[in-house]
Amino acid sequence: MRPRKIEKRLDPEYLTPIYRMALLQFEQAADKLALDPNVRKRFTDPKRAIMVNIPIRMDDHSVEVFHGYRVQHDTTLGPSKGGIRYHPDVNLGEVSALAMWMTWKCALMGLPFGGAKGGIRCDPHALSRNELQRLTRRYTAEMIQFIGPEIDVPAPDVGTNEQIMAWMMDTYSQFRGYSTPGIVTGKPIRIGGSLGRTEATGRGVVYCIMEAMLHLNMQAEGKRAVIQGFGNVGANAAAILHKEGIKVIAVSDVKSGLYNSNGLDIPALRKHLENNHFVESFPEGDRVTNAELLELPCDVLVPAALSEQITKENAERISCTILAEAANGPTTPAADEILRARGIFLVPDVLANAGGVTVSYFEWVQGLQNLFWTEEEVNNRLEKIIKKAFQSVLALSLSEQVDMRLAALMLSIQKITEAKKARGLFP
Ligand code: GLU
């Protein structure tokens, strides 16, 4: 299915399955737009990719070396923006695909940012707090020339959190000699984080689900949702859906899932997880595997874990009306085709999970101005931006008779292409 010309032109180290997937999505949108071939070439490879070896002293005094990455896909609209992932599977191809998706996501939301992503190949759960701190500080030091509030602004992603952002901000500030909150977003509130940032991705997912329901003439009350992944995004999406009167009938984490056809008590589950690691220890509900969970009949399915979960192997058995991609890249292009043919309404990742980076933008703006907003202001502005983006994607999808992913990518690529043309090519 992949056009051969691209395979030849690309550096082989990018060509992991997930980068192929990002490229194929891009190619489909570029074809539909009849994109100028000179611009097309500039989008297929990331603008800059930095790979570092990070030596740290472990608690037992031995030295371990970790692989770290930061990929800046495009900076046409502003500094690049995107999270840092700590996970054993992190590699250059994955980080590059995620960086490309950030480019589309920021442009679609109308944010003055390009796209980036970073990561360290490690198992954060196997490292002590001190080891994690040393790893984060050394990674930041290795990246110091390539990041900055006007250059590239990291944020949390899978396996990282506000504490990691605080260490990054402190390390960067030590090098500069003054406190620089604008270097990262997703920081703790007391060092310049934004109110509402922690819930923002989950909140954005729910705004998209509500808009999709409106479009499909569905009442929210009593509808059933299934959520794969109960990290920051999945847990917040579950809590907000629960508040909206939607029954969350199943959730899962890396180990296993929990199912109750009458709806799980999400507030009680979240309380339980304050002192317990895994959802399986929650007394209420039946056990299901992650694979079974994805195929449970429901109205709304929210993959909020890792990429490539819905594939050609299980797409025929996915049994939902709306699929809202809270994770990045959970659906492969082959699965996309099957879901489209089956009439499932898919809200793509670059739209569904864009609430996080949108409030990251608010955090960056508040930090630069030293003027902080109320949570209500943050949520209201987020709601407006996400709903407007949803409606533009929906309108294009209807007028061009394409699915929501293709429409979203077409809008983003069009916007950045216009900006590239206005700026011209240096020299
Ligand atoms: N990691 C998040 C994402 O994939 C947030 C990025 C950000 O806030 O910069 O969208």
Side-chain angles (χ1 to χ4, degrees), residues 70 80-85 98 101-102 105-106 113 116-117 153-158 160 185-186 197 201 233 326-328 349 353-361:
R70 185 74 183 167
S80 44
K81 186 82 193 81
I84 306 269
R85 176 172 288 209
L98 291 160
W101 287 327
M102 285 308 302
K105 200 184 297 186
C106 293
F113 289 134
K117 203 75 160 201
V153 186
D157 195 77
V158 174
T160 56
T185 59
R197 173 63 184 88
T201 314
V233 179
N328 288 308
D349 47 8
N353 71 32
V357 73
T358 303
V359 176
S360 274
Y361 163 59

Side-chain angles (χ1 to χ4, degrees), residues 26 30 33-36 38-40 42-43 74 76-77 104 107 409-424:
F26 163 69
L33 287 167
L35 191 67
D36 176 343
N38 289 326
V39 176
R40 191 187 278 243
R42 296 174 63 190
F43 281 126
D74 188 80
T76 307
L77 298 177
W104 313 144
L409 262 53
M410 285 167 70
L411 280 176
S412 305
I413 293 165
Q414 185 75 46
K415 280 191 197 179
I416 309 166
T417 301
E418 281 164 17
K420 277 196 189 300
K421 295 221 156 137
R423 287 181 60 161

Side-chain angles (χ1 to χ4, degrees), residues 10 37 39 121 181 207 211 266 286 333 340 375 383 388 396:
L10 267 177
V39 176
R121 193 182 312 143
Y207 289 143
E211 289 299 286
I266 298 297
D286 300 325
R340 196 182 323 121
E375 188 162 358
E383 182 173 5
K388 188 170 161 229
L396 188 69

Side-chain angles (χ1 to χ4, degrees), residues 14-71:
Y14 292 120
L15 280 178
T16 56
I18 187 168
Y19 197 68
R20 282 201 166 88
M21 179 173 147
L23 263 183
L24 185 55
Q25 294 172 352
F26 163 69
E27 283 292 311
Q28 285 168 347
D31 286 348
K32 185 81 189 161
L33 287 167
L35 191 67
D36 176 343
N38 289 326
V39 176
R40 191 187 278 243
K41 281 180 221 160
R42 296 174 63 190
F43 281 126
T44 48
D45 280 321
K47 177 186 172 63
R48 179 146 78 176
I50 305 134
M51 288 204 281
V52 290
N53 282 324
I54 313 160
I56 62 154
R57 179 91 46 204
M58 304 298 279
D59 290 346
D60 67 1
H61 302 294
S62 65
V63 171
E64 205 56 72
V65 181
F66 294 86
H67 298 283
Y69 305 87
R70 185 74 183 167
V71 173

Side-chain angles (χ1 to χ4, degrees), residues 129-190:
R129 184 181 160 89
N130 280 331
E131 288 165 344
L132 268 178
Q133 177 166 181
R134 289 193 288 271
L135 184 63
T136 302
R137 288 187 182 277
R138 184 62 189 254
Y139 171 84
T140 310
E142 296 291 344
M143 292 293 171
I144 209 92
Q145 323 162 46
F146 307 107
I147 56 175
E150 282 86 31
I151 305 171
D152 180 17
V153 186
D157 195 77
V158 174
T160 56
N161 54 27
E162 61 170 36
Q163 179 59 73
I164 304 276
M165 294 305 114
W167 290 327
M168 289 192 79
M169 179 272 198
D170 183 67
T171 306
Y172 185 86
S173 299
Q174 298 301 336
F175 271 79
R176 286 286 165 263
Y178 52 89
S179 189
T180 316
I183 176 60
V184 289
T185 59
K187 300 178 288 293
I189 306 285
R190 59 196 172 278

